[in-house]
Amino acid sequence: MSLSRPKFFTTNKRGENYELKSELNSEYRHHRKDAVKKVIANMTVGKDVSGLFPDVLKNMQTEDLELKKLVYLYLMNYAKTQPELVILAVNTFVKDSDDPNPLIRALAIRTMGCLRVDKIIDYLTEPLRKCLKDENPYVRKTAAVCVAKLYDLNPELAVEQDFVNSVLEMVADVNPMVVANAVIALTDINEATPDRNVFEIDTNTSNKLLHALNECTEWGQIAILTAIGDYKVSGPKEAESICDRVMPRLQHANGAVVLSAIKVLMINMKHIREESFVKSMCRKMAPPLVTLLSSPPEVQYIALRNISLILQKRPEVLSNEIRVFFCKYNDPPYVKLEKLEIMIKLCNDRNVDQLLSELKEYANEVDVDFVRKSVHAIGRCAIKIDEAAERCINVLLDLINTGVSYVVQEAIVVIKDIFRKYPHKYEGIIPTLCENLEALDEPEAKGSLIWIIGEYAERIDNADDLINIFLENFKEENPQVQLQLLTATVKLFLKKPNENQDLVQRILQTATTECDNADIRDRAYVYWRLLSTDPQAAKAVVLSEKPPIAGENDGVSPALLETLLYDIGTLASVYHKPAETFIAGKKFGADNVNKSMAEHTEEEDINAPPPQIQAAIKNNDIGNLLDLDWDAPTETPTSPIMNDGQQQGGSLSDLLSIGNSEAQTSPRTNNNSGNIDDIMSLFNSPTSGVQQSFANSPNPPQYQQQQNVMNDFTNDLFGSSPIQQQQPQQQQQNNTTKDPFADLF
């Protein structure tokens, strides 16, 4: 008796594609239509349904427009992977291009243009020629865009078949939709071939474009306005005429149309000499720009970035509208920060009080970054408007009295800039700043307060005590703070030499021997050299009068501004950078991306398996993979250094033993001052002057011990041998250089 065994590897299920295939070949039209919809749905979510290509293709010849659109969509998606099968659809495309229904004619020519398969191009020319001359404007406007796609694939064929000239003639078409699409196609062709100016606008063409402007769709208006922006007017009268005809576009509901119209106005205003006309245009530009600020936050941000450029060129456009830029509680951070920048641009002596009260309110917000920017904006107002500086100082003092750490620190940074702008004018607030010394924990705030103490040391009675507080943790401080502390201590010493000799000696000693940062050591050596050779020169250098800082200019450069005015309403105006800097002059269409990905994958990969295994994988020859060695031995690269070393008697060994051999073969006879002499010899002077200059200090033995520590450190740093360190100090003691600090003490 035989037992029946379960069949684990057999199933009655055929799979989803099998079911779709049977439905696509159904005799009922509604079944076939539903099947195509399922195929499109699977394709949309990323499933591979390319195996159904022949079955979907059978449903092309149908009177149902919806089904035809779905099949055409499927063809456009899989034409790249099935170029041989797409040829089977050519007859249907040609037939549809002669269909009585203009929608089907336009659909056929648009789909043929989107297939982007070289084998289709030869069959595209005749249907395209007929559609360019079609009586229906919808077909003509579709054909115009198809010419641009053909030009991208095969420029020679598009020019040879006279398609480009046909599109040029369509600029004068009676239908505004056709004109707009012709302009879009010609603009794309111009961008594809920058060396050939295919589309050049003259006075006659500009009049035709302006005539079609009022009846176009919003995207057609943007294309036409962009083209008019590139047109160079012949004189002021023509510029005024263009501005008058473009002005109604400022009332459009689409923000992109408004920005494109403003771009045309800004470009042509440069050619208008009549000031009253320019002022009138500026007044009319303000309401649409304000209206853009009632849009969603993302649109607001784009509008604000463009407004920033417009205000830099024409500040009078929104000079009376500062209130609309006040921040709302629910504005996103990026909108608030951009509004702050524009408020500072619009700040003047008439509205500064209103702005200061608003900024003071912002300083009480919970968003720390926004609070810092608001406090910084108060300082920028003080620097920009001289008459408002005292009021800004009072607001900053009120904020310091709140005791909030990050507010106090940002205020001190800002006040340092105000001191630089107005030197010796507001020193009365320095005691208030010094009272908050304990609250500082950020490098920039510490550095700012140290700068103030050093700059006004003669007016601060306990300046040395304040400096000493910072010196306690000098080695742990941020380099920015250390540099400021070094400079401030030298300033204090030069202003009060009798009381601060030990202080400057200690910090110079610490900075030159115990700091790892080269910038700090170099600055300390420079100060040490200056003080030891010519104290009067040190005073002239360190305590020189510093020019007051000018009003800061956060805008773009004038040359860049002129370039960006032609890009208002585009991504370049949001980045405030020319388009070439972020697209590298390339068009990133689907074909370009695929091509760049293919080139990237073809590059040599160091981790790739050997060639024979790659070939087996490519041919799907799984059986051969078992016989191949994945870790095939690779050729060991030979080092040119090793080869040269063997031929030239081991030069590599010589290279690695330079220090030892040099110490053995060429003993040095330097004294124990070590490499300090080498450093000071850069200034054509020995170190004895430095050592002798501090010989008269109150604690010479202690300094001598510190000097030995410094010598040990520098000898270790530059590789001096222990024998050199044990040599006597007779040469230094014999040096009788005059003490350069004698005049100071």
Side-chain angles (χ1 to χ4, degrees), residues 202-215:
D202 54 18
T203 305
N204 188 27
T205 306
S206 69
N207 286 329
K208 293 175 183 175
L209 295 179
L210 290 167
H211 181 72
L213 185 62
N214 296 330
E215 300 174 27

Side-chain angles (χ1 to χ4, degrees), residues 219-342:
W219 302 114
Q221 291 181 27
I222 294 169
I224 290 175
L225 287 169
T226 303
I228 292 173
D230 295 333
Y231 170 57
K232 294 179 175 58
V233 296
S234 57
K237 291 296 181 185
E238 187 178 9
E240 289 182 19
S241 173
I242 290 175
C243 290
D244 283 333
R245 297 175 73 174
V246 169
M247 199 78 74
R249 299 301 99 209
L250 295 176
Q251 312 303 323
H252 202 282
N254 189 321
V257 176
V258 173
L259 287 176
S260 298
I262 287 176
K263 173 174 70 174
V264 175
L265 296 177
M266 292 290 292
I267 291 170
N268 285 280
M269 280 164 68
K270 297 184 295 184
H271 305 285
I272 299 174
R273 297 170 187 168
E274 193 176 338
E275 289 298 325
S276 60
F277 187 84
V278 172
K279 289 180 181 178
S280 171
M281 287 174 58
C282 290
R283 284 197 305 271
K284 291 178 180 177
M285 285 165 61
L289 288 173
V290 171
T291 304
L292 288 176
L293 298 180
S294 60
S295 307
E298 296 81 8
V299 180
Q300 275 191 60
Y301 180 73
I302 294 171
L304 289 167
R305 294 293 283 176
N306 282 277
I307 288 171
S308 180
L309 291 175
I310 294 166
L311 289 179
Q312 192 172 338
K313 182 68 176 178
R314 300 276 179 184
E316 65 272 17
V317 172
L318 292 167
S319 58
N320 300 320
E321 304 288 347
I322 192 171
R323 287 186 63 85
V324 301
F325 296 102
F326 286 174
C327 300
K328 300 175 183 175
Y329 74 95
N330 58 348
D331 279 340
Y334 57 89
V335 171
K336 286 182 177 179
L337 296 179
E338 202 59 38
K339 283 183 175 180
L340 268 183
E341 292 295 324
I342 292 177

Side-chain angles (χ1 to χ4, degrees), residues 632-638:
T634 56
E635 183 180 351
T636 305
T638 57

Side-chain angles (χ1 to χ4, degrees), residues 670-733:
N670 293 354
N671 55 26
N672 81 325
S673 63
N675 289 279
I676 295 294
D677 281 330
D678 297 337
I679 294 173
M680 293 306 177
S681 65
L682 296 174
F683 302 96
N684 298 324
S685 177
T687 57
S688 55
V690 179
Q691 297 166 355
Q692 186 69 21
S693 65
F694 287 97
N696 298 327
S697 62
N699 299 314
Q702 180 184 0
Y703 173 70
Q704 188 61 44
Q705 182 181 0
Q706 293 174 346
Q707 180 66 23
N708 293 336
V709 172
M710 183 176 72
N711 289 336
D712 293 342
F713 171 78
T714 51
N715 289 335
D716 291 342
L717 179 64
F718 293 99
S720 298
S721 64
I723 298 173
Q724 298 168 4
Q725 297 175 6
Q726 296 172 3
Q727 289 180 357
Q729 304 178 4
Q730 296 176 358
Q731 295 181 6
Q732 292 182 359
Q733 295 172 356

Side-chain angles (χ1 to χ4, degrees), residues 141 144 167-168 170-171 177-187 199:
K141 83 179 187 65
V167 178
L168 282 168
M170 294 170 77
V171 174
M177 287 195 309
V178 178
V179 175
N181 275 27
V183 170
I184 292 171
L186 290 168
T187 304
F199 182 42

